[in-house]
Structure formats: C-alpha cells, structure tokens
Amino acid sequence: MTEINGRLREEIGEDLRVVARFDGDVCSFQYLREDLSTRLDEDDLDLVHQCVVFDVLEGPYFERVFATAGGHEATIRQFEHAYIFEIPTGHHHGVLVSVDRGVDESLPAVFDLCRAAIQ
C-alpha cells in the first residue's frame, strides 16, 4: 500500500485527499491529508468504511442491472469539494481514493492511475 501512496502522491500531488484499503472488517487509512486528519475523527472514518464495504457488495447487483456495460470496475462519487473512487479488488476488499475537485487530471486518468497503482 505504501507503493500506491507514493505513486498517487507523485502523480496527483496536493490534490490527493485520502488513500485507504478495506478488507472486510478492517479499513486502513494509509494516507489522510493533514487538513482532513484534523477534521475527521474515528467515528467519521468508521462511517466511510461501512459505506465502501456496502458499495462493493452492490457491484454484482449493478453488473446484472447494467449487463451490457460490462463488469463493475469502480464507483465514483462527485461531491462539492472532492471525487471519491471506490475500487473493488475482491469480495469485500478494495481501495478508496479521494481527490480534490480541482485535480488537474481527468477522472478517467485518475481512475487509470489508481488501477495501475493497485496492480
């Protein structure tokens, strides 16, 4: 996971907000930008974990609903200040990456950076 942090921090820079790996009952926040670490407490981080695990469980359902679109590769959420990428890597496993809305890269480019860093 350290390699993922390094690659994403190098490519995305200060626009990188969060890098976390979730594995069933455990969510490990590998990188939490300093301004966010002072605003988020353990309860906030636990809610993030619950949300991403639930989203990964929805993947197979959405693959059936949108069968012609291919396999579920990620959930991307857009908020006022950030984009959140939830990328499954297995059953109940995955990586969460968050970047600022002002990121210089396009969303497909950020997704490709995340996938390359995970592999």
Side-chain angles (χ1 to χ4, degrees):
M1 192 69 168
T2 302
E3 181 180 324
I4 295 171
N5 292 341
R7 289 181 69 178
L8 292 177
R9 289 178 74 186
E10 182 179 313
E11 294 287 336
I12 297 170
E14 292 297 316
D15 288 330
L16 184 64
R17 298 167 60 93
V18 176
V19 177
R21 182 176 297 275
F22 51 95
D23 182 4
D25 295 334
V26 178
C27 187
S28 175
F29 287 83
Q30 303 297 314
Y31 174 75
L32 189 59
R33 197 171 64 195
E34 187 175 346
D35 63 315
L36 299 175
S37 67
T38 60
R39 295 182 4 213
L40 299 172
D41 62 22
E42 286 299 316
D43 289 338
D44 296 324
L45 299 178
D46 285 343
L47 286 173
V48 169
H49 175 225
Q50 292 172 25
C51 180
V52 295
V53 168
F54 180 74
D55 285 345
V56 167
L57 293 174
E58 288 182 326
Y61 169 75
F62 283 109
E63 285 179 350
R64 286 192 308 277
V65 171
F66 301 106
T68 60
H72 177 251
E73 294 183 345
T75 299
I76 302 170
R77 299 185 187 282
Q78 178 176 316
F79 292 90
E80 182 179 357
H81 301 292
Y83 296 110
I84 314 266
F85 296 80
E86 299 164 8
I87 305 166
T89 58
H91 190 64
H92 296 188
H93 307 286
V95 173
L96 176 136
V97 175
S98 176
V99 298
D100 282 337
R101 282 281 302 264
V103 67
D104 289 335
E105 305 287 336
S106 69
L107 290 184
V110 172
F111 173 72
D112 289 343
L113 287 170
C114 294
R115 291 294 292 183
I118 291 167
Q119 296 175 349

